[in-house]
Amino acid sequence: MTIIFTMLILLCFYKVNIHKFNLNYLDHKATTQINGIFVILVLLSHFSSYIENWELFPYSTTYLQIRTMLSQLVVTTFLFYSGYGILESIKHKGQRYIDNIPMKILLLIINFTLAILVYYVIGTFLGRDIPLSKLLLSCIGWESIGNSNWYLFDILALYAVTYVAFKIGNENRKVSLLYVLIFSLGIMMFVHQYRDGARWYNTLLCYWVGMVYSFYKCDIDHKLMKSTQSYIMYGGIVALLFWICYQNRDHMLFYILHGILFALMITIVMMVVKMENPILLWVGRHIFGIYILQRIPMMLGSKISFIQENSLIYLLLSVVITLLLAEIFERITKKIAVKIAQN
């Protein structure tokens, strides 16, 4: 796995240019490629949980240490860029975009439900008895029938509170952002009470910070891009704060802060990096399908002893099948979105 991880790192350097300052460091193309990197890391992390005998997958110690170090940090950019993108869309499209958020939520639920049905069919094939209530709750991420679920529930909840916050904010974006923060803290307390696992809430505020970054982006760019010295100074401060929080992340407050600071560090690095990587761009554009469907080949492979005993084949098949499923899923969901838009 360490070799596979090293190959991913090398891939990240393909068609990368260093700029003094890249003004488009947060455009859709740039963030898509960054998310492409992290969804691959998520795939590797999830795959690792299906390996029963690491002796069959040599040279994995370093990767497993890095996996432990990263932990939930691999999803921070998903949330940060989502929050950033939502506010950017509101800034450019105004009330029309806000009014369309419920439709965005509906489309997400429909797309997720399609994936859940695949998991249901596979689960039934494998002899699992899945109650209807659990199936329905899985469609909003509250339950799981084998799929990853917490992130989808969180993003649905965050979109919902964004809609409410900007509706009652009466076009005052600062007030609306305050409401998003309050509601986000409410979501965190809710899932902390009713769901097991800190993953449900320990990176959730990255979404709100992404929105705040969008709100203050001009001021941030002016300060950090004022000179190379300013960039190094502010970047160094963020890196130092991240390290301090990382060292103390056994405490939940520091864990939450180190997730936010990690997303900010990636963002600051991208100020001087321009990526034109077609592979990461493709992966990033299929992020939803890859994230949701990646456990399907892993689940099936875990039931076949030959594949379990040949871990590299297991990984390669999981990756290839996931990418194929993601491409099919993307085409189907695009057609659904077009039909809904026409009605």
Side-chain angles (χ1 to χ4, degrees), residues 38-246:
F38 284 107
V39 80
I40 294 173
L41 288 173
V42 170
L43 188 151
L44 292 178
S45 180
H46 285 169
F47 175 79
S48 298
S49 66
Y50 288 86
I51 298 297
E52 296 179 356
N53 185 1
W54 280 101
E55 292 181 359
L56 299 175
F57 217 132
Y59 309 111
S60 295
T61 303
T62 301
Y63 165 73
L64 292 174
Q65 291 172 343
I66 294 171
R67 177 179 180 247
T68 300
M69 289 170 61
L70 287 173
S71 187
Q72 283 289 97
L73 294 179
V74 293
V75 301
T76 55
T77 62
F78 301 167
L79 290 157
F80 182 87
Y81 292 153
S82 291
Y84 174 85
I86 288 285
L87 192 61
E88 284 293 298
S89 296
I90 290 172
K91 284 159 63 175
H92 290 100
K93 300 177 183 177
Q95 192 62 42
R96 178 166 55 91
Y97 185 83
I98 296 169
D99 292 338
N100 197 50
I101 290 178
M103 182 58 68
K104 185 180 181 73
I105 294 171
L106 177 62
L107 271 173
L108 192 56
I109 293 174
I110 291 172
N111 292 347
F112 195 41
T113 300
L114 289 175
I116 291 300
L117 291 175
V118 178
Y119 279 95
Y120 178 75
V121 171
I122 291 173
T124 303
F125 174 76
L126 295 175
R128 292 183 59 195
D129 182 20
I130 302 172
L132 179 60
S133 59
K134 189 168 187 176
L135 174 65
L136 294 175
L137 289 172
S138 295
C139 294
I140 59 169
W142 187 248
E143 291 284 357
S144 170
I145 56 172
N147 56 289
S148 299
N149 63 322
W150 71 266
Y151 179 83
L152 264 295
F153 177 83
D154 281 1
I155 206 69
L156 287 171
L158 287 167
Y159 285 168
V161 301
T162 299
Y163 175 73
V164 174
F166 278 85
K167 276 294 189 180
I168 64 179
N170 198 25
E171 298 188 2
N172 186 323
R173 288 176 188 161
K174 278 190 176 180
V175 172
S176 298
L177 286 175
L178 178 60
Y179 281 131
V180 173
L181 173 60
I182 294 170
F183 294 151
S184 295
L185 292 172
I187 296 170
M188 291 171 68
M189 289 187 288
F190 179 75
V191 293
H192 173 69
Q193 180 70 27
Y194 293 103
R195 296 285 86 180
D196 292 329
R199 65 187 180 279
W200 285 83
Y201 56 86
N202 59 16
T203 56
L204 189 139
L205 283 181
C206 290
Y207 175 91
W208 175 76
V209 174
M211 299 187 85
V212 173
Y213 195 99
S214 170
F215 188 84
Y216 290 106
K217 185 177 182 296
C218 291
D219 294 333
I220 294 170
D221 288 355
H222 177 73
K223 287 182 179 179
L224 270 70
M225 296 183 181
K226 186 177 181 180
S227 65
T228 303
Q229 291 78 10
S230 296
Y231 175 81
I232 293 172
M233 181 184 73
Y234 284 109
I237 290 171
V238 171
L240 177 61
L241 290 173
F242 167 77
W243 180 249
I244 292 170
C245 291
Y246 176 82

Side-chain angles (χ1 to χ4, degrees), residues 5 10 15 47 59 96-97 118 146 242 259 265 276 288 330:
F5 179 77
L10 293 174
K15 290 200 172 182
F47 175 79
Y59 309 111
R96 178 166 55 91
Y97 185 83
V118 178
F242 167 77
M265 276 202 312
E276 296 288 347
F288 187 83
E330 180 78 8

